[in-house]
Amino acid sequence: MTKDLFQPTHPIPSPRTVDEALAWIRLLRSRRVGVSTFFRLLDEHGTAEAALEALPEVAKAAGVKDYAPCPEHVAEDEYRRAQMAGAKMICWGSPDYPTLLSEIPDPPPFFWAMGDETLLHSPIIALIGARNASSIGTRMARKLANELGEAGFTVISGLARGIDTVAHEAALKTGKTIAVMAGGVDVIYPKENTDLAEDIARDGLRISEMPPGVTPQARHFPRRNRLISGLARAAVVVEAAAKSGSLLTARNALDQGRDVLAIPGHPFDARAYGCNMLIRDGAALVRNAADVIEAIGPAISSTTSDAKTPADDASAAAPQAGTRDKRTLAETAKLHGQILSRLGSCPLAEDQLIRDIGQSHGLGSQQILPELVNLELDGRITRQAGGLLSKPS
Amino acid sequence: MTKDLFQPTHPIPSPRTVDEALAWIRLLRSRRVGVSTFFRLLDEHGTAEAALEALPEVAKAAGVKDYAPCPEHVAEDEYRRAQMAGAKMICWGSPDYPTLLSEIPDPPPFFWAMGDETLLHSPIIALIGARNASSIGTRMARKLANELGEAGFTVISGLARGIDTVAHEAALKTGKTIAVMAGGVDVIYPKENTDLAEDIARDGLRISEMPPGVTPQARHFPRRNRLISGLARAAVVVEAAAKSGSLLTARNALDQGRDVLAIPGHPFDARAYGCNMLIRDGAALVRNAADVIEAIGPAISSTTSDAKTPADDASAAAPQAGTRDKRTLAETAKLHGQILSRLGSCPLAEDQLIRDIGQSHGLGSQQILPELVNLELDGRITRQAGGLLSKPS
């Protein structure tokens, strides 16, 4: 399914009965229905029930024969299993749904939450790092999580080995923590984190958009990671090697408009590659929790007053206090557009491109260069021999 | 003597005879005559001889009784000793005097040079680091100096133990190097660098503004360091602990309008403090020579065509190609002025100041904050409890 940002034309009411909730589950779990299609169908048909009825016809019109939506018993199983695990369904449009998460391009229509769901509305910071973290990286994650907890922040991470584990452990000591599971909210992975996961469900919060009972697979992790940064005000990258998952997660957080901060390391340390690169590209260099707070502002809870819908306008979806470079992020998106509009299929010299953009928009090469790197990493531009840039063919 | 930037009203001719050279030496070595006074006297009296004649009267008018200029034989001794060491006198206003050095606030009227003086007009990069460097810092300095030498840069440093030593050694292998001596150009310190210093005088260049024969003392080092950064297009800080001399040298280089680049390190490494702080304040993060070259441009020699004088206007003193953030530096100076003009004797809240400056000049806090830190480090603003800023009383 595509990941286009879909803006419905009128508010989407969250489910008020178990039957409505079951219809939401059925619709989202139906074949070929992703986040974007879910919201589009709901917008067109008013309710999930109506969308489910229309679905076979919609599929037929799209050339898909013999289409059947997700069977009712599958949705009922998911709902029952969640009930047994003590998990609550948090639906788009309800006051329980976190505002920041509603602003990402592909917010989950609903997710399962086990534990203290009020944490979804606390000031959240993501800690990002590798499973095979170095000892200095692990120490840093522990110290950061501890200090951020003391400062009133909730630390969010992925319950993986390494950085995630120590971040959750340390945050539980001084504050609160949220674990976003790649599989079902009741499926603990890795097994050695069972005690930790149970502590988190008691004193913190575990969430997942997958059906309970699902075993996590590699392909689930990137989707899961978008929730970690999507729920957070900022993401702190503790350690990230070249081409690592952590670096990818950081790039995705940037795409979501999140502040990305990074702990530097010596260039001779391969695990510092990603963080140093992010800092070169404009991420704030942070050495401790105080630097994080200086960069993003103190811990102030988001309001939970209004149920939001994707139809709310941009001002309603205003960022939280403390995201100082919001303006720059908007400008960055604009700059990306300007760069891409100048690149046709015919390659252009990087110098020339920088000069052109610089002259027409009053920008220096130091502002343009990192964005060229970002676009290249995103696969939106291709670098050829001799410093020539082009759009990918 | 004061260090005010003095702009003479007409060109100062460099000495053309030994007698004129001796008069320059006598004038500069006279009691109470520093760089600024030297240029002011020369401007007022036309020649060093005339200035020397007028000096007792000038001193008397300033309330100094029984003033006598430097005796002739002292100047003759300095000149003779330099001749014996094979050192050449490089005078302000001569084509041999390096352009970049002529642009610092307190350029030496002359200095002694032993070796390949054409290096003064090559593209120069300073490597800055501690005497008690870590092993990783030493390795980095060696690698950087090697790669910068290969890329056509001359590496300048201070012949001290640690980073300086390996930088000179590595640069000699692939390129060229300049050592700026804190004592006389013929006085090698530390002794264990005797072979290296001799190699530098043969294949590179040693310079000093002190009279030959002078043993270096602690108070000489800061003055010497201004020549290292003054001759360089950019300064790369390899390692710098908190409150270290290296950090001070970096700040001075910034004051000279030089690009300052820094190698990051992990925050748990105390020797990374200075570099991480510089990067937070806006210095480019560099991981290798390629990053240095990306930041400042490739190695292109400065022209040696025109004899410059302090009376030359700003356009004649244009920076070399590659100093990309010249505009930003000018803007920074302007921003400093705007900040200081808003601070009276009555303390002002930092937030308020940032908001005021931001609104009237369209700047974000991320642009203003580092400059507040710089001004504080320079002692030009004072930080009080509760985030209040004021001018020092």
Side-chain angles (χ1 to χ4, degrees), chain A residues 56-387:
Chain A
E57 277 305 309
V58 172
K60 201 171 167 185
V64 183
K65 286 178 190 169
D66 300 327
Y67 183 92
C70 166
E72 282 180 36
H73 72 88
V74 171
E76 286 162 6
D77 278 358
E78 175 167 351
Y79 191 83
R80 196 179 310 116
R81 180 144 189 171
Q83 295 286 95
M84 280 168 57
K88 182 175 166 180
M89 186 178 174
I90 310 275
C91 291
W92 177 277
S94 107
D96 297 336
Y97 199 95
T99 309
L100 273 175
L101 187 62
S102 72
E103 294 163 5
I104 71 171
D106 44 3
F110 63 86
F111 59 89
W112 298 106
M114 280 177 69
D116 179 3
E117 64 191 79
T118 65
L119 293 183
L120 294 169
H121 307 286
S122 66
I124 301 171
I125 293 188
L127 286 199
I128 295 172
R131 285 168 178 74
N132 60 346
S134 71
S135 97
I136 205 173
T138 310
R139 275 202 292 142
M140 175 54 87
R142 189 175 289 122
K143 182 163 169 282
L144 265 183
N146 215 306
E147 292 173 358
L148 288 170
E150 273 178 356
F153 285 97
T154 298
V155 172
I156 195 168
S157 204
L159 200 70
R161 294 187 180 96
I163 298 289
D164 288 14
T165 297
V166 295
H168 288 304
E169 284 171 352
L172 273 179
K173 277 182 195 149
T174 58
K176 301 291 184 181
T177 196
I178 301 175
V180 187
M181 322 289 283
V185 71
D186 57 344
V187 179
I188 297 169
Y189 176 86
K191 283 293 166 211
E192 67 258 35
N193 277 350
T194 302
D195 287 353
L196 176 60
E198 284 169 1
D199 289 348
I200 293 173
R202 192 182 58 238
D203 299 330
L205 182 69
R206 278 180 8 219
I207 66 166
S208 171
E209 64 177 328
M210 301 299 288
V214 167
T215 308
Q217 296 174 20
R219 67 189 165 84
H220 296 154
F221 288 89
R223 290 197 62 193
R224 186 273 308 268
N225 294 344
R226 92 185 192 288
L227 301 190
I228 293 177
S229 49
L231 278 159
R233 178 186 298 183
V236 180
V237 188
V238 178
E239 237 178 34
K243 296 176 189 172
S244 62
S246 304
L247 194 50
L248 207 63
T249 304
R251 298 279 177 207
N252 288 341
L254 282 170
D255 286 344
Q256 290 177 337
R258 296 295 177 263
D259 282 324
V260 170
L261 322 171
I263 305 283
H266 196 278
F268 283 166
D269 178 357
R271 285 164 172 141
Y273 179 91
C275 285
N276 287 345
M277 182 144 152
L278 287 166
I279 294 166
R280 278 176 62 80
D281 289 353
L285 181 158
V286 293
R287 302 160 299 178
N288 45 44
D291 284 350
V292 174
I293 294 162
E294 187 189 314
I296 67 158
I300 299 162
S301 292
S302 63
T303 56
T304 60
S305 53
D306 301 317
K308 284 197 63 278
T309 80
D312 284 357
D313 66 18
S315 64
Q320 311 220 47
T323 54
R324 285 179 179 165
D325 55 354
K326 192 70 191 169
R327 192 178 59 92
T328 311
L329 288 167
E331 283 172 356
T332 300
K334 201 173 145 199
L335 180 56
H336 283 186
Q338 286 158 350
I339 290 168
L340 293 171
S341 72
R342 276 171 195 274
L343 282 176
S345 55
C346 187
L348 189 62
E350 185 174 38
D351 303 0
Q352 184 63 41
L353 180 68
I354 290 173
R355 230 174 1 253
D356 290 355
I357 298 269
Q359 281 174 0
S360 41
H361 300 93
L363 294 172
S365 57
Q366 291 184 332
Q367 293 156 293
I368 301 169
L369 265 173
E371 296 313 322
L372 291 180
V373 174
N374 286 343
L375 287 169
E376 194 187 351
L377 280 169
D378 293 350
R380 294 164 78 191
I381 62 179
T382 305
R383 189 177 296 269
Q384 299 171 13

Side-chain angles (χ1 to χ4, degrees), chain B residues 194-258:
Chain B
T194 302
D195 288 352
L196 176 60
E198 284 169 2
D199 288 348
I200 293 173
R202 190 183 59 240
D203 298 329
L205 182 70
R206 273 173 20 212
I207 66 165
S208 172
E209 63 177 330
M210 302 298 289
V214 167
T215 307
Q217 296 174 20
R219 67 190 163 84
H220 296 153
F221 287 89
R223 289 197 62 194
R224 186 274 308 267
N225 293 344
R226 91 185 194 289
L227 300 191
I228 293 177
S229 49
L231 278 159
R233 178 188 298 184
V236 180
V237 188
V238 179
E239 238 179 33
K243 295 176 189 172
S244 63
S246 303
L247 194 50
L248 208 65
T249 305
R251 296 281 178 207
N252 289 340
L254 281 170
D255 287 345
Q256 290 176 339
R258 296 294 176 262

